[in-house]
Amino acid sequence: MIIMKSDATQEQITEVVKEIKKYGLRADVSQGAYRTVIGLVGDESKIPFDRFAILPGVKEAMMVETPYKLISREYAKLSGEESQHRIIKAGNIEIGGDEPVFMAGPCAVESKAQLFKIAEGVKMAGAHVLRGGIFKPRTSVHSFQGLGAGGEEEAKEALSWLREAGNKFEMPVVTEVRGEGQVDLVAEYVDIIQIGARNMYDQDLLTKVARKGKPILYKRHFGAGIEEFLSFTEYMVAEDNKDIILCERGILPLGKGKSYTRYTLDLAAVPAIQKETYLPVMVDPSHAAGRRDLIFSLSCAGIAAGACGLMIEVHYNPVEALVDGQQMITPDELKDVINTCQRVHKAIGPRRNNN
Ligand code: PEP
Ligand code: MN
């Protein structure tokens, strides 16, 4: 990391960036209110920091040991920028701002009528963002894979419904991309691109999605430690996209015998991650619980832990749903969840857990 003097000129900054490139690294220039800090993307051990420290305009040049630095609070603080939190805009919604944001909708888009009925229901319940899966990650090849699996025309049609429903009910929309080949198409239609838990480790997918410059909803893998999750987040920030919403959605349950939940919601991860990074953290109680009778409790707990919002699966008749019916709640139940969570949020105060 190179910290420039507060009176460093643009030419001096440009010179330092040029020098960094000579060593095969990339530079992330963060121009804060008081000074400029240059983060290094690549193998820092190649950099002769002593030599950089005496370049004109440089205040300090040092190696940063953490595997994630561009998203760290420390780095942001040095440049006097983002020391508190990053607010991400999607349509007219602010994620990571003063109010919790609720993303809701079906697990999978099944038809135009199904999507529009659910969109209307979640809007009435107070949701801010509409979700709906078109490319579904499924364990079995024999299960419904989402309408996107039908081919490009079917994918386009389903994506256009999602866009249309978002426009009609005035909600930005989010859907998952499961592979690099889907990124260009999905980015044309949605406001937020989701990277699912199973793809948390797919570096090439992360890079490709980040380059679209749109907000990203990035889910933690069910076997990933917090450091790994944050380290992989850095792949996207290295592409100059800092609009990343991190999402805790449960890790693998422990022990023998019956598991009473689909995953174990790691609520401590929420404030723990917030201590490390200025990026907003959300909670998905639906995939964590895997059962609808726990959604209310886990939602309240997620907001109490300091989450900036929730992602919840909703269907007007969950038993009819082709995917994840067992964890879906109805729009009426969502309304109760949102109202109560808003009260919980008020009670704990905004960003209680942030540094
Ligand atoms: C989803 O949100 O549709 C989903 C499949 O979630 P996850 O990637 O967390 O399993
Ligand atoms: Mn689902």
Side-chain angles (χ1 to χ4, degrees):
M1 178 183 299
I2 318 284
I3 304 170
M4 301 300 292
K5 289 180 181 158
S6 52
D7 58 357
T9 64
Q10 195 53 52
E11 288 71 38
Q12 289 170 334
I13 296 168
T14 310
E15 272 312 305
V16 172
V17 170
K18 248 196 230 159
E19 274 304 299
I20 292 169
K21 284 185 182 157
K22 276 192 201 159
Y23 290 90
L25 279 81
R26 283 184 287 156
D28 177 88
V29 180
S30 184
Q31 247 148 0
Y34 306 111
R35 62 171 91 89
T36 296
V37 176
I38 305 172
L40 304 174
V41 180
D43 182 1
E44 284 194 17
S45 66
K46 289 186 186 155
I47 297 280
F49 283 97
D50 293 352
R51 226 180 66 64
F52 272 77
I54 53 169
L55 290 178
V58 172
K59 179 169 182 273
E60 233 179 301
M62 58 188 171
M63 179 114 175
V64 180
E65 300 288 345
T66 53
Y68 54 89
K69 43 201 166 192
L70 305 179
I71 62 164
S72 72
R73 285 191 178 279
E74 260 175 298
Y75 174 64
K77 261 182 203 154
L78 281 171
S79 67
E81 207 196 22
E82 314 245 25
S83 58
Q84 291 301 309
H85 53 271
R86 185 172 183 84
I87 296 175
I88 296 171
K89 281 201 82 142
N92 53 3
I93 299 297
E94 285 189 345
I95 301 149
D98 289 339
E99 295 300 322
V101 168
F102 298 91
M103 304 188 180
C107 178
V109 173
E110 296 170 9
S111 68
K112 187 170 181 181
Q114 174 246 24
L115 177 66
F116 274 63
K117 192 165 170 186
I118 295 173
E120 182 172 23
V122 302
K123 177 72 183 184
M124 303 276 283
H128 306 97
V129 177
L130 177 65
R131 68 150 281 148
I134 288 161
F135 297 101
K136 293 306 304 173
R138 303 305 305 276
T139 303
S140 169
V141 70
H142 304 295
S143 312
F144 175 59
Q145 311 283 311
L147 292 175
E152 195 172 328
E153 285 317 304
E154 284 79 356
K156 276 187 184 163
E157 195 178 21
L159 283 162
S160 70
W161 297 337
L162 191 60
R163 179 73 273 155
E164 221 185 289
N167 293 350
K168 177 161 183 201
F169 297 105
E170 294 177 344
M171 290 180 282
V173 296
V174 55
T175 201
E176 176 173 350
V177 285
R178 225 180 33 208
E180 285 176 70
Q182 296 155 3
V183 177
D184 290 337
L185 178 64
V186 165
E188 274 179 43
Y189 291 88
V190 302
D191 304 287
I192 305 171
I193 304 175
Q194 179 173 329
I195 297 177
R198 286 153 197 80
N199 288 312
M200 190 206 92
Y201 293 104
D202 188 339
Q203 296 164 217
D204 296 326
L205 181 64
L206 303 192
T207 304
K208 178 139 195 203
V209 171
R211 287 183 182 160
K212 288 291 164 192
K214 294 207 163 191
I216 301 166
L217 177 68
Y218 184 47
K219 295 182 118 184
R220 179 185 179 187
H221 186 273
F222 35 78
I226 290 172
E227 188 177 87
E228 270 183 301
F229 186 29
L230 297 179
S231 301
F232 277 89
T233 305
E234 193 93 344
Y235 275 100
M236 294 176 280
V237 178
E239 297 302 325
D240 210 17
N241 187 344
K242 293 194 170 100
D243 285 339
I244 312 212
I245 308 146
L246 301 170
C247 183
E248 162 58 33
R249 48 77 74 208
I251 51 178
L252 287 171
L254 289 174
K256 289 185 178 165
K258 182 177 169 185
S259 283
Y260 291 85
T261 55
R262 189 172 173 185
Y263 294 95
T264 301
L265 185 59
D266 182 9
L267 280 178
V270 177
I273 291 173
Q274 284 173 339
K275 297 257 183 252
E276 297 299 311
T277 177
Y278 49 85
L279 296 175
V281 187
M282 284 189 68
V283 161
D284 170 354
S286 302
H287 291 89
R291 45 190 273 197
R292 77 175 58 89
D293 59 330
L294 302 187
I295 302 301
F296 180 88
S297 304
L298 292 187
S299 296
C300 295
I303 293 296
C308 72
L310 302 173
M311 172 178 261
I312 300 178
E313 290 190 337
V314 176
H315 199 288
Y316 46 84
N317 184 14
V319 294
E320 255 182 40
L322 295 181
V323 192
D324 284 350
Q326 71 290 345
Q327 69 203 27
M328 288 187 168
I329 59 170
T330 63
D332 279 348
E333 289 165 331
L334 178 69
K335 192 172 179 181
D336 188 27
V337 167
I338 292 178
N339 287 340
T340 311
C341 283
Q342 276 164 341
R343 297 213 315 270
V344 171
H345 177 75
K346 266 204 189 82
I348 63 156
R351 297 184 219 102
R352 176 74 164 256
N353 294 306
N354 283 3
N355 283 346

